[in-house]
Amino acid sequence: MKTITSFILLFFCCLPFHSRSQKIDTRVLIEDIQFLSSDQLEGRSATTEGNQKAASYIKERFKDLDLSSQFPDYTQSFSLNEDLDQEGHGENIIGFVPGFASSKIILIMAHYDHLGTKGKDIYNGADDNASGTAALLNMAAYFKENRPLHSILFAATDAEEEGLLGAKALLKDFPFPLNQIQLVVNMDMISRSEDNTLYAVGTRFYPQFKPFLEKSGKKSAIQLVFGNDGGKGELDWTNASDHGPFHKKGIPFIYFGVPDHKDYHKPTDTFKNIDQTFYTQACELILNSILEIDAALE
């Protein structure tokens, strides 16, 4: 018996670290991004049938997870007419996991819309932003099973490509007092990198989160890089995605993303061009960062 026990302990000790600690279900993650960037969704442009298919997919997942929501059928509808010269409405899909120690909120966001079709070309938007949306779904699954200290609101936003309209609508009609939001985590383009790096943007403004990001980064096989938030000689992604409207209200954010690549906003941003290993590692890194921050928030 002692020999068998020793063998079992040796077996588990020899497993790669990620095999013992992995929190993201890689199979489900890849299935999600593959569906969300498939031709049948026709690029997910706001108000289109393909966009509605994506929204329905997210709603069904939230229902299957038995998430709560502050909106009927998980849907926060908003008019596009106020901002665009077109008819119709957008839909933010909202799920919620209450914290067991606090009413403070971490808001996790990713936009699910993209550019639709142009002629015969389908702009599938695998990296932009099926990647962030699939990550959000899998993080919702994790936190449903592993209840956080602080409440987490999951927002799959619409019409980002039209000018951050879903984020603006969410900010305008947020279901809790805005001062309860301790951090906005936005994921937009996280599934590929030519140099194995993921950017964490926002610590120039909110340096209190940097130690927790650094701690998670040290455990990752990919490199976490800080910057691109308008520092000297840097790019400025401060208002480049759905975290922007919240930052303008003084609400802290961390934006995870990669630089524009050769397939950015082109029909070639397809599932086959993502890096599945990098993508999974990026999701793990982001989730571990959220866990570190959740444990540290007062």
Side-chain angles (χ1 to χ4, degrees), residues 214-251:
E214 289 176 327
K215 184 176 180 180
S216 299
K218 289 177 181 178
K219 299 176 183 178
S220 179
I222 65 177
Q223 184 179 6
L224 186 65
V225 179
F226 300 97
N228 284 1
D229 43 16
K232 186 176 181 179
E234 294 181 350
L235 297 173
D236 191 353
W237 297 350
T238 304
N239 298 299
S241 185
D242 280 337
H243 55 278
F246 290 85
H247 171 60
K248 289 179 179 179
K249 286 286 187 179
I251 299 171

mmCIF file of all heavy atoms in Angstrom, residues 214-251:
data_model
loop_
_atom_site.group_PDB
_atom_site.id
_atom_site.type_symbol
_atom_site.label_atom_id
_atom_site.label_comp_id
_atom_site.label_asym_id
_atom_site.label_seq_id
_atom_site.Cartn_x
_atom_site.Cartn_y
_atom_site.Cartn_z
ATOM 1 N N GLU A 214 1.100 41.487 -11.583
ATOM 2 C CA GLU A 214 2.473 40.982 -11.651
ATOM 3 C C GLU A 214 2.584 39.589 -11.053
ATOM 4 O O GLU A 214 3.277 38.717 -11.597
ATOM 5 C CB GLU A 214 3.421 41.939 -10.931
ATOM 6 C CG GLU A 214 3.631 43.257 -11.657
ATOM 7 C CD GLU A 214 4.489 44.220 -10.864
ATOM 8 O OE1 GLU A 214 4.421 44.194 -9.614
ATOM 9 O OE2 GLU A 214 5.213 45.007 -11.498
ATOM 10 N N LYS A 215 1.905 39.373 -9.956
ATOM 11 C CA LYS A 215 1.936 38.062 -9.303
ATOM 12 C C LYS A 215 1.377 36.979 -10.220
ATOM 13 O O LYS A 215 1.949 35.898 -10.344
ATOM 14 C CB LYS A 215 1.146 38.113 -7.997
ATOM 15 C CG LYS A 215 1.198 36.828 -7.185
ATOM 16 C CD LYS A 215 0.470 36.991 -5.863
ATOM 17 C CE LYS A 215 0.520 35.710 -5.042
ATOM 18 N NZ LYS A 215 -0.193 35.870 -3.728
ATOM 19 N N SER A 216 0.265 37.290 -10.888
ATOM 20 C CA SER A 216 -0.326 36.324 -11.824
ATOM 21 C C SER A 216 0.551 36.143 -13.049
ATOM 22 O O SER A 216 0.684 35.034 -13.575
ATOM 23 C CB SER A 216 -1.725 36.796 -12.235
ATOM 24 O OG SER A 216 -2.575 36.877 -11.116
ATOM 25 N N GLY A 217 1.147 37.237 -13.517
ATOM 26 C CA GLY A 217 2.006 37.161 -14.689
ATOM 27 C C GLY A 217 3.205 36.267 -14.480
ATOM 28 O O GLY A 217 3.645 35.562 -15.399
ATOM 29 N N LYS A 218 3.760 36.271 -13.281
ATOM 30 C CA LYS A 218 4.930 35.449 -12.995
ATOM 31 C C LYS A 218 4.619 33.960 -13.055
ATOM 32 O O LYS A 218 5.524 33.137 -13.246
ATOM 33 C CB LYS A 218 5.487 35.815 -11.616
ATOM 34 C CG LYS A 218 6.148 37.182 -11.567
ATOM 35 C CD LYS A 218 6.612 37.520 -10.160
ATOM 36 C CE LYS A 218 7.254 38.901 -10.109
ATOM 37 N NZ LYS A 218 7.668 39.273 -8.724
ATOM 38 N N LYS A 219 3.363 33.597 -12.897
ATOM 39 C CA LYS A 219 2.969 32.184 -12.923
ATOM 40 C C LYS A 219 2.602 31.705 -14.323
ATOM 41 O O LYS A 219 2.288 30.531 -14.508
ATOM 42 C CB LYS A 219 1.768 31.973 -11.990
ATOM 43 C CG LYS A 219 2.029 32.307 -10.537
ATOM 44 C CD LYS A 219 0.755 32.166 -9.724
ATOM 45 C CE LYS A 219 0.965 32.567 -8.274
ATOM 46 N NZ LYS A 219 -0.309 32.470 -7.488
ATOM 47 N N SER A 220 2.609 32.620 -15.283
ATOM 48 C CA SER A 220 2.123 32.307 -16.627
ATOM 49 C C SER A 220 3.267 32.019 -17.585
ATOM 50 O O SER A 220 4.380 32.546 -17.439
ATOM 51 C CB SER A 220 1.279 33.461 -17.161
ATOM 52 O OG SER A 220 0.825 33.190 -18.474
ATOM 53 N N ALA A 221 2.967 31.203 -18.590
ATOM 54 C CA ALA A 221 3.940 30.912 -19.646
ATOM 55 C C ALA A 221 4.016 32.034 -20.665
ATOM 56 O O ALA A 221 4.932 32.073 -21.484
ATOM 57 C CB ALA A 221 3.586 29.600 -20.336
ATOM 58 N N ILE A 222 3.049 32.951 -20.641
ATOM 59 C CA ILE A 222 3.091 34.094 -21.552
ATOM 60 C C ILE A 222 3.528 35.328 -20.782
ATOM 61 O O ILE A 222 3.464 35.380 -19.553
ATOM 62 C CB ILE A 222 1.734 34.330 -22.251
ATOM 63 C CG1 ILE A 222 0.652 34.716 -21.246
ATOM 64 C CG2 ILE A 222 1.323 33.099 -23.040
ATOM 65 C CD1 ILE A 222 -0.681 35.025 -21.892
ATOM 66 N N GLN A 223 3.966 36.333 -21.506
ATOM 67 C CA GLN A 223 4.475 37.545 -20.876
ATOM 68 C C GLN A 223 3.375 38.585 -20.743
ATOM 69 O O GLN A 223 2.716 38.924 -21.722
ATOM 70 C CB GLN A 223 5.641 38.119 -21.682
ATOM 71 C CG GLN A 223 6.284 39.343 -21.038
ATOM 72 C CD GLN A 223 7.453 39.881 -21.839
ATOM 73 O OE1 GLN A 223 7.729 39.413 -22.933
ATOM 74 N NE2 GLN A 223 8.138 40.882 -21.290
ATOM 75 N N LEU A 224 3.182 39.078 -19.539
ATOM 76 C CA LEU A 224 2.220 40.144 -19.296
ATOM 77 C C LEU A 224 2.966 41.469 -19.328
ATOM 78 O O LEU A 224 3.914 41.680 -18.561
ATOM 79 C CB LEU A 224 1.520 39.951 -17.959
ATOM 80 C CG LEU A 224 0.375 40.923 -17.654
ATOM 81 C CD1 LEU A 224 -0.771 40.727 -18.641
ATOM 82 C CD2 LEU A 224 -0.119 40.746 -16.224
ATOM 83 N N VAL A 225 2.532 42.369 -20.208
ATOM 84 C CA VAL A 225 3.210 43.640 -20.415
ATOM 85 C C VAL A 225 2.290 44.772 -19.985
ATOM 86 O O VAL A 225 1.089 44.774 -20.305
ATOM 87 C CB VAL A 225 3.607 43.818 -21.901
ATOM 88 C CG1 VAL A 225 4.285 45.167 -22.114
ATOM 89 C CG2 VAL A 225 4.534 42.689 -22.336
ATOM 90 N N PHE A 226 2.844 45.739 -19.274
ATOM 91 C CA PHE A 226 2.064 46.895 -18.829
ATOM 92 C C PHE A 226 2.339 48.079 -19.752
ATOM 93 O O PHE A 226 3.436 48.233 -20.290
ATOM 94 C CB PHE A 226 2.426 47.255 -17.389
ATOM 95 C CG PHE A 226 2.158 46.136 -16.420
ATOM 96 C CD1 PHE A 226 3.190 45.282 -16.029
ATOM 97 C CD2 PHE A 226 0.896 45.917 -15.922
ATOM 98 C CE1 PHE A 226 2.950 44.240 -15.160
ATOM 99 C CE2 PHE A 226 0.638 44.878 -15.048
ATOM 100 C CZ PHE A 226 1.678 44.037 -14.657
ATOM 101 N N GLY A 227 1.343 48.924 -19.911
ATOM 102 C CA GLY A 227 1.537 50.110 -20.736
ATOM 103 C C GLY A 227 0.425 50.293 -21.750
ATOM 104 O O GLY A 227 -0.692 49.813 -21.576
ATOM 105 N N ASN A 228 0.758 51.016 -22.817
ATOM 106 C CA ASN A 228 -0.219 51.384 -23.850
ATOM 107 C C ASN A 228 -1.415 52.127 -23.253
ATOM 108 O O ASN A 228 -2.538 52.020 -23.747
ATOM 109 C CB ASN A 228 -0.682 50.158 -24.640
ATOM 110 C CG ASN A 228 0.365 49.701 -25.651
ATOM 111 O OD1 ASN A 228 1.439 50.276 -25.743
ATOM 112 N ND2 ASN A 228 0.047 48.672 -26.403
ATOM 113 N N ASP A 229 -1.128 52.877 -22.186
ATOM 114 C CA ASP A 229 -2.179 53.705 -21.596
ATOM 115 C C ASP A 229 -1.766 55.176 -21.582
ATOM 116 O O ASP A 229 -2.072 55.928 -20.655
ATOM 117 C CB ASP A 229 -2.550 53.226 -20.187
ATOM 118 C CG ASP A 229 -1.342 52.866 -19.328
ATOM 119 O OD1 ASP A 229 -0.211 53.263 -19.691
ATOM 120 O OD2 ASP A 229 -1.530 52.181 -18.318
ATOM 121 N N GLY A 230 -1.040 55.569 -22.657
ATOM 122 C CA GLY A 230 -0.762 56.973 -22.873
ATOM 123 C C GLY A 230 0.484 57.508 -22.206
ATOM 124 O O GLY A 230 0.686 58.724 -22.182
ATOM 125 N N GLY A 231 1.327 56.600 -21.694
ATOM 126 C CA GLY A 231 2.589 57.053 -21.138
ATOM 127 C C GLY A 231 3.514 57.570 -22.234
ATOM 128 O O GLY A 231 3.253 57.392 -23.432
ATOM 129 N N LYS A 232 4.603 58.199 -21.845
ATOM 130 C CA LYS A 232 5.525 58.800 -22.806
ATOM 131 C C LYS A 232 6.031 57.754 -23.795
ATOM 132 O O LYS A 232 6.558 56.724 -23.414
ATOM 133 C CB LYS A 232 6.701 59.446 -22.068
ATOM 134 C CG LYS A 232 7.641 60.218 -22.982
ATOM 135 C CD LYS A 232 8.732 60.918 -22.183
ATOM 136 C CE LYS A 232 9.657 61.701 -23.111
ATOM 137 N NZ LYS A 232 10.724 62.409 -22.345
ATOM 138 N N GLY A 233 5.830 58.037 -25.079
ATOM 139 C CA GLY A 233 6.299 57.155 -26.123
ATOM 140 C C GLY A 233 5.466 55.905 -26.331
ATOM 141 O O GLY A 233 5.852 55.015 -27.094
ATOM 142 N N GLU A 234 4.317 55.828 -25.671
ATOM 143 C CA GLU A 234 3.478 54.637 -25.765
ATOM 144 C C GLU A 234 2.220 54.895 -26.586
ATOM 145 O O GLU A 234 1.784 56.035 -26.748
ATOM 146 C CB GLU A 234 3.034 54.173 -24.361
ATOM 147 C CG GLU A 234 4.141 53.672 -23.472
ATOM 148 C CD GLU A 234 3.588 53.210 -22.124
ATOM 149 O OE1 GLU A 234 2.398 53.467 -21.846
ATOM 150 O OE2 GLU A 234 4.349 52.586 -21.368
ATOM 151 N N LEU A 235 1.631 53.808 -27.074
ATOM 152 C CA LEU A 235 0.290 53.881 -27.632
ATOM 153 C C LEU A 235 -0.695 54.185 -26.510
ATOM 154 O O LEU A 235 -0.384 54.001 -25.325
ATOM 155 C CB LEU A 235 -0.077 52.562 -28.308
ATOM 156 C CG LEU A 235 0.773 52.145 -29.504
ATOM 157 C CD1 LEU A 235 0.393 50.731 -29.958
ATOM 158 C CD2 LEU A 235 0.635 53.128 -30.656
ATOM 159 N N ASP A 236 -1.874 54.624 -26.872
ATOM 160 C CA ASP A 236 -2.876 54.958 -25.864
ATOM 161 C C ASP A 236 -4.172 54.209 -26.157
ATOM 162 O O ASP A 236 -4.935 54.575 -27.051
ATOM 163 C CB ASP A 236 -3.131 56.468 -25.849
ATOM 164 C CG ASP A 236 -3.959 56.895 -24.644
ATOM 165 O OD1 ASP A 236 -4.442 56.012 -23.907
ATOM 166 O OD2 ASP A 236 -4.131 58.112 -24.450
ATOM 167 N N TRP A 237 -4.389 53.141 -25.407
ATOM 168 C CA TRP A 237 -5.615 52.345 -25.539
ATOM 169 C C TRP A 237 -6.602 52.663 -24.408
ATOM 170 O O TRP A 237 -7.525 51.902 -24.157
ATOM 171 C CB TRP A 237 -5.288 50.855 -25.484
ATOM 172 C CG TRP A 237 -4.408 50.351 -26.586
ATOM 173 C CD1 TRP A 237 -4.035 51.028 -27.720
ATOM 174 C CD2 TRP A 237 -3.779 49.073 -26.670
ATOM 175 N NE1 TRP A 237 -3.222 50.236 -28.502
ATOM 176 C CE2 TRP A 237 -3.041 49.029 -27.890
ATOM 177 C CE3 TRP A 237 -3.762 47.946 -25.857
ATOM 178 C CZ2 TRP A 237 -2.311 47.919 -28.290
ATOM 179 C CZ3 TRP A 237 -3.035 46.830 -26.246
ATOM 180 C CH2 TRP A 237 -2.322 46.822 -27.447
ATOM 181 N N THR A 238 -6.414 53.802 -23.771
ATOM 182 C CA THR A 238 -7.218 54.138 -22.599
ATOM 183 C C THR A 238 -8.708 54.153 -22.900
ATOM 184 O O THR A 238 -9.527 53.757 -22.056
ATOM 185 C CB THR A 238 -6.790 55.516 -22.047
ATOM 186 O OG1 THR A 238 -5.383 55.489 -21.769
ATOM 187 C CG2 THR A 238 -7.547 55.851 -20.787
ATOM 188 N N ASN A 239 -9.067 54.615 -24.098
ATOM 189 C CA ASN A 239 -10.488 54.694 -24.461
ATOM 190 C C ASN A 239 -10.791 53.877 -25.722
ATOM 191 O O ASN A 239 -11.759 54.150 -26.422
ATOM 192 C CB ASN A 239 -10.876 56.157 -24.682
ATOM 193 C CG ASN A 239 -10.699 56.997 -23.427
ATOM 194 O OD1 ASN A 239 -11.326 56.739 -22.403
ATOM 195 N ND2 ASN A 239 -9.822 57.993 -23.497
ATOM 196 N N ALA A 240 -9.957 52.862 -25.970
ATOM 197 C CA ALA A 240 -10.041 52.131 -27.233
ATOM 198 C C ALA A 240 -11.120 51.072 -27.271
ATOM 199 O O ALA A 240 -11.440 50.552 -28.344
ATOM 200 C CB ALA A 240 -8.681 51.480 -27.535
ATOM 201 N N SER A 241 -11.696 50.739 -26.129
ATOM 202 C CA SER A 241 -12.701 49.682 -26.091
ATOM 203 C C SER A 241 -13.696 49.997 -24.979
ATOM 204 O O SER A 241 -13.727 51.129 -24.459
ATOM 205 C CB SER A 241 -12.016 48.320 -25.881
ATOM 206 O OG SER A 241 -12.939 47.252 -25.949
ATOM 207 N N ASP A 242 -14.492 49.015 -24.587
ATOM 208 C CA ASP A 242 -15.644 49.269 -23.728
ATOM 209 C C ASP A 242 -15.318 49.737 -22.315
ATOM 210 O O ASP A 242 -16.214 50.190 -21.593
ATOM 211 C CB ASP A 242 -16.511 48.011 -23.651
ATOM 212 C CG ASP A 242 -17.399 47.842 -24.871
ATOM 213 O OD1 ASP A 242 -17.685 48.851 -25.539
ATOM 214 O OD2 ASP A 242 -17.828 46.706 -25.145
ATOM 215 N N HIS A 243 -14.083 49.656 -21.905
ATOM 216 C CA HIS A 243 -13.708 50.203 -20.598
ATOM 217 C C HIS A 243 -13.682 51.735 -20.617
ATOM 218 O O HIS A 243 -13.766 52.374 -19.565
ATOM 219 C CB HIS A 243 -12.329 49.688 -20.181
ATOM 220 C CG HIS A 243 -11.281 49.961 -21.219
ATOM 221 N ND1 HIS A 243 -11.105 49.157 -22.322
ATOM 222 C CD2 HIS A 243 -10.380 50.973 -21.350
ATOM 223 C CE1 HIS A 243 -10.124 49.655 -23.072
ATOM 224 N NE2 HIS A 243 -9.677 50.760 -22.504
ATOM 225 N N GLY A 244 -13.566 52.327 -21.808
ATOM 226 C CA GLY A 244 -13.389 53.772 -21.938
ATOM 227 C C GLY A 244 -14.446 54.610 -21.242
ATOM 228 O O GLY A 244 -14.098 55.525 -20.471
ATOM 229 N N PRO A 245 -15.734 54.377 -21.489
ATOM 230 C CA PRO A 245 -16.751 55.197 -20.824
ATOM 231 C C PRO A 245 -16.697 55.108 -19.301
ATOM 232 O O PRO A 245 -16.987 56.092 -18.607
ATOM 233 C CB PRO A 245 -18.070 54.619 -21.368
ATOM 234 C CG PRO A 245 -17.700 54.021 -22.691
ATOM 235 C CD PRO A 245 -16.328 53.468 -22.504
ATOM 236 N N PHE A 246 -16.323 53.954 -18.772
ATOM 237 C CA PHE A 246 -16.228 53.807 -17.320
ATOM 238 C C PHE A 246 -15.032 54.588 -16.779
ATOM 239 O O PHE A 246 -15.127 55.245 -15.742
ATOM 240 C CB PHE A 246 -16.126 52.323 -16.948
ATOM 241 C CG PHE A 246 -17.403 51.570 -17.181
ATOM 242 C CD1 PHE A 246 -17.707 51.049 -18.429
ATOM 243 C CD2 PHE A 246 -18.327 51.407 -16.163
ATOM 244 C CE1 PHE A 246 -18.892 50.369 -18.657
ATOM 245 C CE2 PHE A 246 -19.522 50.727 -16.370
ATOM 246 C CZ PHE A 246 -19.809 50.216 -17.630
ATOM 247 N N HIS A 247 -13.917 54.518 -17.492
ATOM 248 C CA HIS A 247 -12.735 55.275 -17.081
ATOM 249 C C HIS A 247 -13.036 56.777 -17.050
ATOM 250 O O HIS A 247 -12.576 57.498 -16.139
ATOM 251 C CB HIS A 247 -11.583 54.988 -18.039
ATOM 252 C CG HIS A 247 -10.386 55.866 -17.844
ATOM 253 N ND1 HIS A 247 -9.678 55.919 -16.653
ATOM 254 C CD2 HIS A 247 -9.765 56.743 -18.684
ATOM 255 C CE1 HIS A 247 -8.676 56.770 -16.769
ATOM 256 N NE2 HIS A 247 -8.707 57.293 -17.984
ATOM 257 N N LYS A 248 -13.797 57.255 -18.013
ATOM 258 C CA LYS A 248 -14.134 58.683 -18.047
ATOM 259 C C LYS A 248 -14.956 59.103 -16.833
ATOM 260 O O LYS A 248 -14.986 60.287 -16.475
ATOM 261 C CB LYS A 248 -14.875 59.011 -19.342
ATOM 262 C CG LYS A 248 -13.978 58.972 -20.579
ATOM 263 C CD LYS A 248 -14.740 59.284 -21.846
ATOM 264 C CE LYS A 248 -13.825 59.269 -23.059
ATOM 265 N NZ LYS A 248 -14.554 59.546 -24.331
ATOM 266 N N LYS A 249 -15.603 58.131 -16.191
ATOM 267 C CA LYS A 249 -16.346 58.399 -14.955
ATOM 268 C C LYS A 249 -15.489 58.159 -13.716
ATOM 269 O O LYS A 249 -15.986 58.234 -12.586
ATOM 270 C CB LYS A 249 -17.588 57.497 -14.892
ATOM 271 C CG LYS A 249 -18.708 57.894 -15.825
ATOM 272 C CD LYS A 249 -19.430 59.143 -15.339
ATOM 273 C CE LYS A 249 -20.660 59.438 -16.171
ATOM 274 N NZ LYS A 249 -21.381 60.633 -15.692
ATOM 275 N N GLY A 250 -14.212 57.857 -13.937
ATOM 276 C CA GLY A 250 -13.322 57.631 -12.813
ATOM 277 C C GLY A 250 -13.407 56.251 -12.211
ATOM 278 O O GLY A 250 -12.916 56.015 -11.097
ATOM 279 N N ILE A 251 -14.005 55.305 -12.934
ATOM 280 C CA ILE A 251 -14.126 53.934 -12.444
ATOM 281 C C ILE A 251 -12.912 53.140 -12.913
ATOM 282 O O ILE A 251 -12.625 53.095 -14.113
ATOM 283 C CB ILE A 251 -15.436 53.288 -12.969
ATOM 284 C CG1 ILE A 251 -16.639 54.091 -12.455
ATOM 285 C CG2 ILE A 251 -15.527 51.827 -12.523
ATOM 286 C CD1 ILE A 251 -17.956 53.679 -13.086
#
